[in-house]
Amino acid sequence: MTANDNGGLRERKKAATREALSAAALRLALEHGPQNVRVDDIAEAAGVSPRTYNNYFSSREAAIVAAVAAERALRVGAALRERPADEPLAEAVIEAVVSQYDEPGLPAGELLKLVASTAGLRTEFVGTVAAIEQPIANAIATRTGDEGLAPKVLAAAVSAAARVAVENWIRPAEDDEEQAGGSLLVVPSGSLPDLLRKALASVAPALEAADPAAP
Amino acid sequence: MTANDNGGLRERKKAATREALSAAALRLALEHGPQNVRVDDIAEAAGVSPRTYNNYFSSREAAIVAAVAAERALRVGAALRERPADEPLAEAVIEAVVSQYDEPGLPAGELLKLVASTAGLRTEFVGTVAAIEQPIANAIATRTGDEGLAPKVLAAAVSAAARVAVENWIRPAEDDEEQAGGSLLVVPSGSLPDLLRKALASVAPALEAADPAAP
DNA sequence: CCACAAACTTGCGTGCACGCATAGATTCGC
DNA sequence: GCGAATCTATGCGTGCACGCAAGTTTGTGG
């Protein structure tokens, strides 16, 4: 094989198209407001057909959020595998998750306002957190050697806890919504890493109970 | 007020319409296969306009699954509140959840095959489990007096665990899918109550750690 | 009993997601 | 290099979800 998963022209083109779509989506959303951006506009701005848009993203919101979520979730698996093997499971998981939702690239300012104040984008953004579940389940299964339900359940619990943290982080000021209005108070609840640690602390006992290293 | 939330004509009609839609949806799905049922067909069979269908159910699958899910999830809140106050939190939650997913009305036979072998219905059915989250969060908040994140996180973890249990219960035989084919092996993983207990046991330590009754 | 308010139904229009078939690009094997 | 296998882009058609603005039914107060 000349190239299959990385340097190949095909792969690079796909990545470029995805990137172009995502960037165009975000730019248009910021320019005209997320409600005023049609899928066709995004496709056109990226130079592909509308049909192709849906080959890359399965919803109008997905492309916008992808520009902001930056596959953060997918990297949790790698982060977890790289933690020292003698670290307690709970600590490893918590640090791996928090590390991916630390400062760099997190929506802030205009971006955050955009996502937080639009129902569809908020839902989509919160939904991206679920992507951490599979990688974590695999990592826990490897660590514990358990082949049953437990790793899946624990990963689901961790993912759910992270989701709650993100929900509470990005919760808008309840009343105002949509409409590019004026000053909406968002993210009053503290930093995301702090929220994540608080949330994950509640499920930590379950991880500890499943940790073969510290019975 | 003559009637507002129960005996009123309006409420009864709404309930009847909802029931009619749900029943029609299920019947048509069983008769012609879920893929061959249009929203318009369901609406017509129930004697309402297609537009009205979407006033009651937000997706084509929702009506079918509603006929099977029977608001099981919503009753978890009531079940939990009715558990003795001196029972440990973990036990109360587990029993409340399991009690609602016990025998009566669970999809079985043709029904189960229908739901399990259709991707859309499976997703929708699994999704109904999430409805237990809010009630459980409220109940835990009441029990523990905690007003912060913990109850939400724990409820999310419980809900996630239950979801994993249901996913594994209803998992089809991997290969065959859709198409009213012949004998597909579904639900090989044991009874749902057993799966739920196994799954919830993994998150129980987190509940115990938050239980004020047993510090 | 009647008029007004509140809630529900319906038709219409729009945007969206996606299966399918075809044409075009890239990669593979030799 | 070259042809075949594989993957991607696109157009078309269908079904679906939902906002909106009447029109209709049900509930409330006098």
Short mmCIF file of all heavy atoms in Angstrom, two decimals, chain A residues 168-202:
data_model
loop_
_atom_site.label_atom_id
_atom_site.label_comp_id
_atom_site.label_asym_id
_atom_site.label_seq_id
_atom_site.Cartn_x
_atom_site.Cartn_y
_atom_site.Cartn_z
N ASN A 168 -23.61 21.83 32.97
CA ASN A 168 -23.69 22.88 33.97
C ASN A 168 -22.72 24.01 33.69
O ASN A 168 -22.92 25.14 34.15
CB ASN A 168 -23.44 22.30 35.36
CG ASN A 168 -24.70 21.67 35.92
OD1 ASN A 168 -25.50 22.32 36.56
ND2 ASN A 168 -24.90 20.40 35.63
N TRP A 169 -21.68 23.70 32.95
CA TRP A 169 -20.71 24.72 32.61
C TRP A 169 -21.28 25.66 31.56
O TRP A 169 -21.12 26.86 31.62
CB TRP A 169 -19.45 24.05 32.06
CG TRP A 169 -18.40 24.99 31.57
CD1 TRP A 169 -17.70 25.88 32.32
CD2 TRP A 169 -17.94 25.12 30.23
NE1 TRP A 169 -16.81 26.56 31.52
CE2 TRP A 169 -16.93 26.11 30.23
CE3 TRP A 169 -18.26 24.49 29.02
CZ2 TRP A 169 -16.25 26.49 29.07
CZ3 TRP A 169 -17.58 24.87 27.88
CH2 TRP A 169 -16.60 25.85 27.91
N ILE A 170 -21.98 25.06 30.63
CA ILE A 170 -22.42 25.80 29.45
C ILE A 170 -23.86 26.26 29.56
O ILE A 170 -24.40 26.82 28.62
CB ILE A 170 -22.24 24.91 28.20
CG1 ILE A 170 -21.97 25.78 26.98
CG2 ILE A 170 -23.41 23.99 27.99
CD1 ILE A 170 -21.59 25.00 25.77
N ARG A 171 -24.45 26.05 30.72
CA ARG A 171 -25.85 26.43 30.89
C ARG A 171 -26.03 27.94 30.76
O ARG A 171 -25.36 28.72 31.43
CB ARG A 171 -26.36 25.98 32.25
CG ARG A 171 -27.74 26.51 32.60
CD ARG A 171 -28.34 25.62 33.64
NE ARG A 171 -28.43 24.25 33.11
CZ ARG A 171 -28.45 23.15 33.88
NH1 ARG A 171 -28.36 23.26 35.17
NH2 ARG A 171 -28.56 21.98 33.32
N PRO A 172 -26.93 28.35 29.91
CA PRO A 172 -27.19 29.77 29.73
C PRO A 172 -28.02 30.33 30.87
O PRO A 172 -28.49 29.59 31.72
CB PRO A 172 -27.96 29.83 28.42
CG PRO A 172 -28.71 28.54 28.37
CD PRO A 172 -27.86 27.53 29.10
N ALA A 173 -28.23 31.62 30.84
CA ALA A 173 -28.92 32.31 31.93
C ALA A 173 -30.42 32.02 31.96
O ALA A 173 -31.21 32.87 32.34
CB ALA A 173 -28.67 33.80 31.85
N GLU A 174 -30.79 30.79 31.55
CA GLU A 174 -32.17 30.33 31.67
C GLU A 174 -33.16 31.08 30.78
O GLU A 174 -33.83 30.48 29.96
CB GLU A 174 -32.66 30.41 33.12
CG GLU A 174 -31.92 29.50 34.06
CD GLU A 174 -32.14 28.04 33.71
OE1 GLU A 174 -33.17 27.72 33.14
OE2 GLU A 174 -31.26 27.22 34.02
N ASP A 175 -33.29 32.38 30.99
CA ASP A 175 -34.33 33.10 30.27
C ASP A 175 -33.96 33.39 28.82
O ASP A 175 -34.54 32.85 27.90
CB ASP A 175 -34.69 34.39 31.00
CG ASP A 175 -33.45 35.20 31.33
OD1 ASP A 175 -32.36 34.60 31.37
OD2 ASP A 175 -33.57 36.40 31.56
N ASP A 176 -33.01 34.26 28.62
CA ASP A 176 -32.70 34.65 27.24
C ASP A 176 -32.15 33.46 26.46
O ASP A 176 -31.49 32.58 26.98
CB ASP A 176 -31.70 35.81 27.20
CG ASP A 176 -30.45 35.51 28.02
OD1 ASP A 176 -30.28 34.36 28.46
OD2 ASP A 176 -29.68 36.43 28.22
N GLU A 177 -32.46 33.46 25.22
CA GLU A 177 -32.11 32.33 24.37
C GLU A 177 -32.13 32.80 22.92
O GLU A 177 -32.84 33.73 22.59
CB GLU A 177 -33.14 31.22 24.57
CG GLU A 177 -32.95 30.03 23.69
CD GLU A 177 -32.05 29.01 24.37
OE1 GLU A 177 -31.60 29.27 25.51
OE2 GLU A 177 -31.77 28.01 23.79
N GLU A 178 -31.38 32.13 22.09
CA GLU A 178 -31.35 32.48 20.67
C GLU A 178 -31.16 33.99 20.51
O GLU A 178 -30.69 34.65 21.40
CB GLU A 178 -32.66 32.05 19.98
CG GLU A 178 -33.19 30.73 20.45
CD GLU A 178 -32.29 29.54 20.10
OE1 GLU A 178 -31.88 29.40 18.97
OE2 GLU A 178 -31.98 28.75 21.01
N GLN A 179 -31.58 34.48 19.35
CA GLN A 179 -31.53 35.93 19.06
C GLN A 179 -30.22 36.57 19.54
O GLN A 179 -29.92 36.58 20.72
CB GLN A 179 -32.70 36.65 19.73
CG GLN A 179 -34.06 36.06 19.45
CD GLN A 179 -34.30 35.70 17.98
OE1 GLN A 179 -33.43 35.87 17.13
NE2 GLN A 179 -35.45 35.17 17.68
N ALA A 180 -29.55 37.14 18.60
CA ALA A 180 -28.24 37.72 18.91
C ALA A 180 -28.33 38.90 19.86
O ALA A 180 -27.68 39.92 19.69
CB ALA A 180 -27.56 38.14 17.61
N GLY A 181 -29.16 38.77 20.84
CA GLY A 181 -29.39 39.85 21.80
C GLY A 181 -28.13 40.43 22.39
O GLY A 181 -27.04 40.33 21.83
N GLY A 182 -28.25 41.02 23.53
CA GLY A 182 -27.10 41.71 24.10
C GLY A 182 -26.25 40.85 25.00
O GLY A 182 -25.61 39.90 24.54
N SER A 183 -26.24 41.15 26.27
CA SER A 183 -25.30 40.50 27.18
C SER A 183 -25.97 39.35 27.92
O SER A 183 -26.69 39.55 28.88
CB SER A 183 -24.79 41.52 28.18
OG SER A 183 -25.90 42.09 28.85
N LEU A 184 -25.71 38.16 27.48
CA LEU A 184 -26.28 37.04 28.22
C LEU A 184 -25.21 36.45 29.15
O LEU A 184 -24.08 36.22 28.76
CB LEU A 184 -26.84 35.96 27.31
CG LEU A 184 -26.17 35.62 25.99
CD1 LEU A 184 -26.79 34.36 25.45
CD2 LEU A 184 -26.33 36.74 24.99
N LEU A 185 -25.63 36.23 30.33
CA LEU A 185 -24.71 35.71 31.33
C LEU A 185 -24.59 34.19 31.18
O LEU A 185 -25.50 33.45 31.49
CB LEU A 185 -25.24 36.01 32.72
CG LEU A 185 -24.65 37.21 33.45
CD1 LEU A 185 -23.21 36.91 33.87
CD2 LEU A 185 -24.68 38.45 32.54
N VAL A 186 -23.46 33.75 30.70
CA VAL A 186 -23.27 32.31 30.60
C VAL A 186 -22.08 31.90 31.43
O VAL A 186 -21.28 32.71 31.85
CB VAL A 186 -23.07 31.86 29.15
CG1 VAL A 186 -24.38 31.85 28.42
CG2 VAL A 186 -22.08 32.75 28.45
N VAL A 187 -21.99 30.59 31.65
CA VAL A 187 -20.84 30.02 32.34
C VAL A 187 -20.55 30.74 33.65
O VAL A 187 -19.48 31.28 33.85
CB VAL A 187 -19.60 30.10 31.45
CG1 VAL A 187 -18.48 29.28 32.05
CG2 VAL A 187 -19.91 29.64 30.06
N PRO A 188 -21.49 30.72 34.55
CA PRO A 188 -21.27 31.35 35.84
C PRO A 188 -20.73 30.34 36.85
O PRO A 188 -20.37 30.68 37.95
CB PRO A 188 -22.66 31.81 36.25
CG PRO A 188 -23.58 30.85 35.57
CD PRO A 188 -22.83 30.16 34.45
N SER A 189 -20.67 29.08 36.45
CA SER A 189 -20.53 28.00 37.43
C SER A 189 -19.07 27.63 37.73
O SER A 189 -18.83 26.61 38.33
CB SER A 189 -21.25 26.76 36.93
OG SER A 189 -22.47 27.13 36.32
N GLY A 190 -18.12 28.42 37.31
CA GLY A 190 -16.74 28.06 37.57
C GLY A 190 -16.08 27.47 36.34
O GLY A 190 -16.73 27.30 35.30
N SER A 191 -14.82 27.14 36.45
CA SER A 191 -14.09 26.62 35.30
C SER A 191 -14.49 25.19 35.01
O SER A 191 -14.89 24.44 35.92
CB SER A 191 -12.59 26.68 35.57
OG SER A 191 -12.20 25.63 36.42
N LEU A 192 -14.38 24.83 33.76
CA LEU A 192 -14.77 23.48 33.37
C LEU A 192 -13.93 22.41 34.06
O LEU A 192 -14.48 21.43 34.58
CB LEU A 192 -14.70 23.35 31.85
CG LEU A 192 -15.10 21.98 31.29
CD1 LEU A 192 -16.45 21.54 31.81
CD2 LEU A 192 -15.11 22.00 29.78
N PRO A 193 -12.62 22.57 34.12
CA PRO A 193 -11.83 21.56 34.84
C PRO A 193 -12.30 21.36 36.27
O PRO A 193 -12.42 20.21 36.74
CB PRO A 193 -10.41 22.13 34.79
CG PRO A 193 -10.38 22.94 33.55
CD PRO A 193 -11.76 23.53 33.42
N ASP A 194 -12.61 22.46 36.95
CA ASP A 194 -13.10 22.33 38.33
C ASP A 194 -14.41 21.56 38.37
O ASP A 194 -14.61 20.67 39.20
CB ASP A 194 -13.31 23.71 38.95
CG ASP A 194 -11.99 24.35 39.35
OD1 ASP A 194 -10.95 23.69 39.19
OD2 ASP A 194 -12.01 25.50 39.80
N LEU A 195 -15.32 21.93 37.47
CA LEU A 195 -16.60 21.23 37.43
C LEU A 195 -16.41 19.75 37.14
O LEU A 195 -17.07 18.90 37.74
CB LEU A 195 -17.50 21.86 36.35
CG LEU A 195 -18.29 23.08 36.76
CD1 LEU A 195 -18.93 23.74 35.55
CD2 LEU A 195 -19.37 22.70 37.76
N LEU A 196 -15.51 19.47 36.21
CA LEU A 196 -15.26 18.06 35.87
C LEU A 196 -14.73 17.30 37.08
O LEU A 196 -15.17 16.19 37.37
CB LEU A 196 -14.25 17.98 34.73
CG LEU A 196 -14.82 18.21 33.32
CD1 LEU A 196 -13.71 18.35 32.29
CD2 LEU A 196 -15.75 17.05 32.94
N ARG A 197 -13.80 17.92 37.79
CA ARG A 197 -13.25 17.23 38.97
C ARG A 197 -14.34 16.99 40.01
O ARG A 197 -14.41 15.93 40.62
CB ARG A 197 -12.12 18.07 39.59
CG ARG A 197 -10.84 18.00 38.80
CD ARG A 197 -9.70 18.74 39.51
NE ARG A 197 -8.58 18.95 38.62
CZ ARG A 197 -7.69 18.01 38.30
NH1 ARG A 197 -7.80 16.80 38.83
NH2 ARG A 197 -6.70 18.28 37.47
N LYS A 198 -15.17 17.99 40.22
CA LYS A 198 -16.26 17.82 41.19
C LYS A 198 -17.18 16.68 40.77
O LYS A 198 -17.54 15.82 41.57
CB LYS A 198 -17.08 19.11 41.29
CG LYS A 198 -16.43 20.23 42.10
CD LYS A 198 -17.48 21.24 42.56
CE LYS A 198 -16.85 22.47 43.22
NZ LYS A 198 -16.46 23.51 42.23
N ALA A 199 -17.55 16.69 39.48
CA ALA A 199 -18.48 15.67 39.00
C ALA A 199 -17.85 14.29 39.06
O ALA A 199 -18.47 13.32 39.54
CB ALA A 199 -18.92 16.00 37.58
N LEU A 200 -16.62 14.20 38.61
CA LEU A 200 -15.97 12.88 38.56
C LEU A 200 -15.68 12.34 39.95
O LEU A 200 -15.63 11.13 40.17
CB LEU A 200 -14.69 12.98 37.73
CG LEU A 200 -14.94 13.21 36.23
CD1 LEU A 200 -13.64 13.50 35.49
CD2 LEU A 200 -15.62 12.00 35.61
N ALA A 201 -15.51 13.26 40.90
CA ALA A 201 -15.28 12.80 42.28
C ALA A 201 -16.45 11.96 42.78
O ALA A 201 -16.27 11.03 43.57
CB ALA A 201 -15.07 14.00 43.19
N SER A 202 -17.65 12.27 42.30
CA SER A 202 -18.82 11.53 42.75
C SER A 202 -18.84 10.10 42.24
O SER A 202 -19.42 9.21 42.88
CB SER A 202 -20.10 12.24 42.30
OG SER A 202 -20.33 13.41 43.07
#
